[in-house]
Amino acid sequence: MPFDPIEADKNDPLSWTRDEFELPLRAESGGHGEGDLIYLCGNSLGLLPKRGRQIVNEELDVWSKRAVYGHFAHPHDRPWKDIDQCVLPGLARLVGAKESEVAHTSTLTSNIHSLFISFYRPTPKRWKIVIEKGAFPSDWYAIHSHPALHSAILSPEQIENAIVPLSPRPGEDHLRTEDIVSKLAEIGDEVAVVWIGCVQYYTGQFFEVEPIARKTHEIGAYFGLDLAHAIGNVPVKLNDWGVDFAAWCTYKYLCGGPGSVAGYYIKDGLDDGGRRLAGWWGHNRQTRFHMSPEFDPIPGAGGYQHSNPPVFSSLPLIATLEIIDKAGGIDVLREKSERLTGYFWDLLTSSKWYRGIASPDRQERHEQQVAQATSSGLPADERSKGFKILTPSDPAQRGCQLSLLVLPQGSGNMDKVFQAMVERGVVGDERRPDVMRLSAVPLYNRFVDAKRAAEELERAFEGL
Ligand SMILES: *Cc1c(COP(=O)(O)O)cnc(C)c1O
């Protein structure tokens, strides 16, 4: 019996979560026709939880009726001065940490800067930062700006060469754990910090964090993790993996809304060498409003906060965390996610436009596919038209994002395919010139969405 997506949705114990979200309409999103969009862009901006809207409205009323008292006496038990308390337990569970190790504050890139101020403390003998060559540009820019802050200690040459980029082997799309580990062994005690994205934003690769963290510690460096594409997507175990510090945003898989408040993790007891950027929100909660000139930091991650968090940009997140908890937590969502993305993977890789993947584990399959394409009677000039998948085939090494490289590269085909899909009500995410990211998010996507998206992709290629 072939897999029936309609049946799969019917039998899905998590199908109720979709009803908790407001689904964008086709007609409002550049598409023709009626009905809901197939939204596969949760890796970029998650959908609005219905209860998020409700909470925002409640807060508007509180502001209107109580104004400043809303900070302390709140009719819905969410006093604004402690708004972080509404999300810290849920966030701590999602990242596998203690509540004292997690803070809800500021934005991702700013939090990365704060972490690097405290935990990148170079010496003339240990000053390098290791990062993926293909890291998200904001991480790349942010990290490059730190060595120059230490010009009293580092020579201009050291500052110039402080960043060590990690690249995949020629012809491959993913970093291999063994290559990262051997690179770390090679540079050894010159490394101060290793910073990687837990799930790579471009390829969707979910790194094997633990062995990389272990090697980082063996060479005496700190290990930091960007969770932007991991939190709410895959189970994260910061304590178990031995991660020293981490940061994330909440508008992607956590549906916090555009520009919503971000967060970070600092392992309990991590030594900051007395370097921290302080602010009143990092001060002891009990005495914060005494306005004393003595800074008395909250023990743990909270002590590194600067400002009172934007309350309105914290609210939809409260709703999403409630839904995740009600669903049984991230492990339960992950189980559905693996089935959903596995199904999507199978549909895509059985398309006649599929041209294989570059990772070595599937080289054989790639060759088979190419042979199939050749023998299926496609005209020679169409043979290179199609797509390749950049995301690892191993479900353990990916989350719900699949990244498609549209061929021939540089032909403009990706834009055309993307636009054709949008017009037919399927929205993914473009990375120009040639990459399209499609994420079936278990909170609101269905098996039939994967099916429709694969069909529309096929149709878009036919129309090229
Ligand atoms: C989305 C994302 C960002 C965005 O940074 P902001 O500070 O939230 O604007 C940064 N890094 C990574 C890896 C991301 O995926």
Side-chain angles (χ1 to χ4, degrees), residues 43 107-110 112 135-136 138-139 197 199 201 226 228-229 249 251-252 262:
N43 58 290
T107 52
L108 172 53
T109 307
S110 296
I112 294 174
F136 192 95
S138 201
D139 297 49
V199 173
Y201 86 101
D226 188 316
H229 284 268
C249 53
Y251 46 79
K252 291 171 180 163

Side-chain angles (χ1 to χ4, degrees), residues 183-249:
K183 185 84 177 173
L184 294 179
E186 182 193 315
I187 334 172
D189 55 13
E190 291 180 353
V191 179
V193 174
V194 175
W195 178 257
I196 61 170
C198 182
V199 173
Q200 224 284 339
Y201 86 101
Y202 194 74
T203 64
Q205 178 182 10
F206 178 12
F207 284 95
E208 291 178 284
V209 176
E210 202 176 356
I212 305 171
R214 197 180 315 122
K215 190 69 196 177
T216 303
H217 291 148
E218 243 174 71
I219 61 170
Y222 275 154
F223 184 77
L225 209 52
D226 188 316
L227 298 177
H229 284 268
I231 193 166
N233 177 15
V234 294
V236 173
K237 312 267 179 228
L238 296 177
N239 283 167
D240 292 353
W241 293 342
V243 176
D244 295 309
F245 55 89
W248 53 85
C249 53

Side-chain angles (χ1 to χ4, degrees), residues 26-27 30-34 422-425:
R26 282 174 78 156
H32 305 308
E34 307 268 299
V422 167
E423 280 167 23
R424 306 220 4 123

Side-chain angles (χ1 to χ4, degrees), residues 62-354:
V62 178
W63 182 20
S64 154
K65 299 203 167 73
R66 297 197 180 192
V68 73
Y69 294 103
H71 271 299
F72 309 96
H74 195 285
H76 307 288
D77 220 15
R78 295 187 297 267
W80 300 331
K81 76 172 176 59
D82 295 319
I83 196 73
D84 61 333
Q85 309 274 15
C86 299
V87 295
L88 289 180
L91 291 171
R93 277 194 289 280
L94 281 180
V95 300
K98 287 175 260 171
E99 251 174 81
S100 60
E101 296 173 314
V102 172
H104 167 75
T105 189
S106 192
T107 52
L108 172 53
T109 307
S110 296
N111 284 335
I112 294 174
H113 280 304
S114 295
L115 292 168
F116 270 74
I117 286 290
S118 290
F119 303 110
Y120 172 60
R121 300 197 308 278
T123 66
K125 291 194 144 52
R126 186 188 283 284
W127 75 98
K128 291 184 174 169
I129 305 173
V130 178
I131 179 173
E132 307 132 79
K133 176 92 191 310
F136 192 95
S138 201
D139 297 49
W140 184 256
Y141 307 150
I143 269 105
H144 273 78
S145 68
H146 277 266
L149 302 180
H150 300 271
S151 56
I153 297 167
L154 302 180
S155 71
E157 295 71 40
Q158 283 180 311
I159 291 173
E160 183 69 27
N161 300 310
I163 308 300
V164 181
L166 297 167
S167 302
R169 296 183 186 190
E172 295 186 10
D173 297 316
H174 316 129
L175 284 160
R176 299 191 196 191
T177 309
E178 78 233 44
D179 290 356
I180 301 175
V181 166
S182 61
K183 185 84 177 173
L184 294 179
E186 182 193 315
I187 334 172
D189 55 13
E190 291 180 353
V191 179
V193 174
V194 175
W195 178 257
I196 61 170
C198 182
V199 173
Q200 224 284 339
Y201 86 101
Y202 194 74
T203 64
Q205 178 182 10
F206 178 12
F207 284 95
E208 291 178 284
V209 176
E210 202 176 356
I212 305 171
R214 197 180 315 122
K215 190 69 196 177
T216 303
H217 291 148
E218 243 174 71
I219 61 170
Y222 275 154
F223 184 77
L225 209 52
D226 188 316
L227 298 177
H229 284 268
I231 193 166
N233 177 15
V234 294
V236 173
K237 312 267 179 228
L238 296 177
N239 283 167
D240 292 353
W241 293 342
V243 176
D244 295 309
F245 55 89
W248 53 85
C249 53
T250 59
Y251 46 79
K252 291 171 180 163
Y253 295 102
L254 292 186
C255 306
S260 56
V261 177
Y264 62 77
Y265 155 91
I266 298 171
K267 186 168 77 183
D268 262 353
L270 195 68
D271 177 21
D272 64 11
R275 287 172 57 88
R276 95 165 70 193
L277 298 178
W280 77 318
W281 226 252
H283 187 95
N284 184 339
R285 288 174 192 273
Q286 269 67 51
T287 56
R288 187 183 278 154
F289 291 89
H290 297 178
M291 305 312 210
S292 151
E294 300 301 328
F295 179 55
D296 173 18
I298 300 171
Y304 293 78
Q305 297 174 101
H306 307 154
S307 297
N308 73 100
V311 169
F312 282 91
S313 288
S314 301
L315 302 173
L317 175 62
I318 296 176
T320 311
L321 293 173
E322 284 172 6
I323 298 166
I324 293 175
D325 274 349
K326 200 169 148 205
I330 189 67
D331 292 324
V332 176
L333 284 167
R334 171 66 167 167
E335 192 275 326
K336 172 176 172 184
S337 177
E338 284 189 8
R339 279 189 294 120
L340 183 56
T341 301
Y343 173 59
F344 197 21
W345 174 277
D346 290 343
L347 292 172
L348 293 175
T349 54
S350 48
S351 161
K352 75 178 199 210
W353 301 105
Y354 174 63

